[in-house]
Amino acid sequence: YGHTQEACKELKRVLEEKGCTKVALNDLAREDMHETIEDAFRYGKIVLASVTYNATMFPHMKTFIDNLTERNYQNRTIGFIENGSWAPTAAKAMKKEFENSKNISFTNTTVTIRGAMNEANKAQIEALADELL
């Protein structure tokens, strides 16, 4: 329905508003996976956003993370946005994928959306942006 993408666009807007001049936004289902992987290695911080799909993450996200960890993705900070109407578990599943990666830190704030974004989610996005800056 586009609600997760809407949250990502909101995070991008907030980061740019706060002075971050380099923000890449990639849609794993529609863009070249190799370009997205390249972006992940280009920056020191990344936010992974996924809907909850069969109690885990969206399959394109799983493929993306596998590509990162196979290439020794390390020394980065990772934040999460998850979306799930009844039981959002995508962030937990994504975080677990990095358990064997070196020097990965995670933001304290995880944006958890239940369907469509609301005012509480906008506050979470503000907090996540502050952690990333």
Side-chain angles (χ1 to χ4, degrees):
Y1 302 106
H3 299 299
T4 307
Q5 184 180 53
E6 179 186 347
C8 294
K9 288 179 179 178
E10 177 68 9
L11 177 60
K12 182 179 190 297
R13 184 194 66 75
V14 170
L15 285 167
E16 289 173 342
E17 190 176 272
K18 292 178 179 277
C20 186
T21 58
K22 292 188 178 188
V23 181
L25 182 60
N26 296 291
D27 185 334
L28 296 175
R30 292 173 179 79
E31 297 178 28
D32 184 281
M33 181 69 71
H34 296 94
E35 293 292 327
T36 304
I37 293 165
E38 184 180 317
D39 277 346
F41 280 94
R42 184 175 290 131
Y43 300 104
K45 298 174 185 175
I46 187 172
V47 176
L48 303 176
S50 178
V51 295
T52 298
Y53 185 84
N54 291 336
T56 188
M57 70 197 90
F58 194 66
H60 291 294
M61 180 60 73
K62 172 75 168 117
T63 300
F64 176 69
I65 293 172
D66 286 347
N67 273 281
L68 295 180
T69 57
E70 288 168 357
R71 288 165 177 79
N72 199 25
Y73 193 72
Q74 61 183 334
N75 303 318
R76 304 288 197 291
T77 299
I78 302 173
F80 300 102
I81 297 174
E82 64 181 352
N83 192 345
S85 297
W86 52 272
T89 58
K92 181 180 176 182
M94 291 185 287
K95 188 174 186 177
K96 184 173 175 32
E97 294 294 314
F98 292 97
E99 65 186 5
N100 293 321
S101 298
K102 295 179 184 175
N103 300 318
I104 294 290
S105 61
F106 301 104
T107 59
N108 292 320
T109 303
T110 295
V111 179
T112 300
I113 303 165
R114 293 185 178 267
M117 213 169 41
N118 59 33
E119 290 304 313
N121 297 135
K122 289 180 181 179
Q124 290 175 324
I125 287 170
E126 287 279 341
L128 180 57
D130 288 341
E131 277 190 72
L132 293 168
L133 293 175

